[in-house]
Amino acid sequence: MAATDGGTRGRLRQATSSAHARVDACFPRGVEDAHAYRRYLRGMHALVSALDAGLSAAPLGDTWREWRLPQRADLLREDLADIGAAPLASGPGLSIAHAAEAAGALYVVEGSAMGATQLLLDAQAMGWSGQRGARFLHAHGGDGAGARWMRYLRCLESARFDLHAERAMIDAAARTFAYAEHEFLRAAQPAG
């Protein structure tokens, strides 16, 4: 499906660029200090927990089922404990009805691994490591992030979703970006 518009990835990127920019704006200077890092971990934990629940309930074939990685939430929970923070209370959840929606939601989380490479450096500068406090970033944005992203893109382009499914995929990606933004903003609120 090599189209002049950049293929499925290009259409996803174009359709969700403003939503993506709003999420990036939640951390304009990365995780520059302990407060920003706490906010990132709490929001990311809420996001990946919701994604895992949505993926576990969806009727997915082998191609998309393998992208469900419940250990992400476990690593985030351990990192939160290391920094002395509690996870956010569960949010409303992410509904994923089929493979196209899974592909859209995963575009957000798998793509975030590329930015997580810089966040990992920020966390390491604060003294956290893959053994304590930055387990998630080490696994998510570490050395294998680029290869995993390329593998995801190959799955995405080979899926060849029809127009209806592609619209559902784009909607799911937009909802997932909005969910991430909401959770990062919620994580910034004082504990009640």
Side-chain angles (χ1 to χ4, degrees):
M1 196 170 195
T4 57
D5 62 4
T8 307
R9 175 192 182 187
R11 292 187 296 278
L12 259 171
R13 184 176 35 220
Q14 182 178 5
T16 61
S17 63
S18 61
H20 189 170
R22 286 191 304 274
V23 171
D24 285 348
C26 292
F27 299 95
R29 290 175 298 282
V31 289
E32 64 191 351
D33 58 28
H35 178 72
Y37 190 48
R38 177 181 182 271
R39 195 166 32 99
Y40 171 79
L41 290 176
R42 293 181 83 212
M44 198 65 171
H45 178 264
L47 173 64
V48 300
S49 295
L51 175 66
D52 184 58
L55 290 173
S56 70
L60 302 176
D62 291 341
T63 298
W64 298 107
R65 187 178 307 114
E66 75 175 85
W67 290 95
R68 180 177 172 243
L69 300 171
Q71 64 269 29
R72 288 189 250 223
D74 295 338
L75 293 172
L76 283 157
R77 199 171 11 266
E78 291 173 20
D79 289 342
L80 283 166
D82 288 342
I83 69 164
L88 293 171
S90 295
L94 278 171
S95 176
I96 298 173
H98 47 72
E101 289 187 352
L106 286 162
Y107 171 78
V108 177
V109 174
E110 292 303 328
S112 75
M114 302 314 294
T117 59
Q118 178 58 49
L119 300 181
L120 175 58
L121 295 175
D122 293 347
Q124 289 172 333
M126 287 184 272
W128 301 115
S129 70
Q131 291 75 43
R132 186 168 186 274
R135 292 174 187 87
F136 171 75
L137 284 173
H138 183 73
H140 189 59
D143 294 337
R148 192 175 71 239
W149 175 240
M150 295 308 296
R151 190 166 60 91
Y152 165 79
L153 291 176
R154 284 191 298 276
C155 288
L156 180 68
E157 295 299 338
S158 67
R160 301 190 188 279
F161 295 120
D162 65 25
L163 186 58
H164 176 74
E166 187 168 299
R167 285 185 184 138
M169 175 190 63
I170 289 169
D171 288 345
R175 282 194 321 270
T176 306
F177 274 123
Y179 195 95
E181 179 187 17
H182 172 78
E183 295 301 341
F184 288 136
L185 292 174
R186 191 164 66 108
Q189 300 303 311

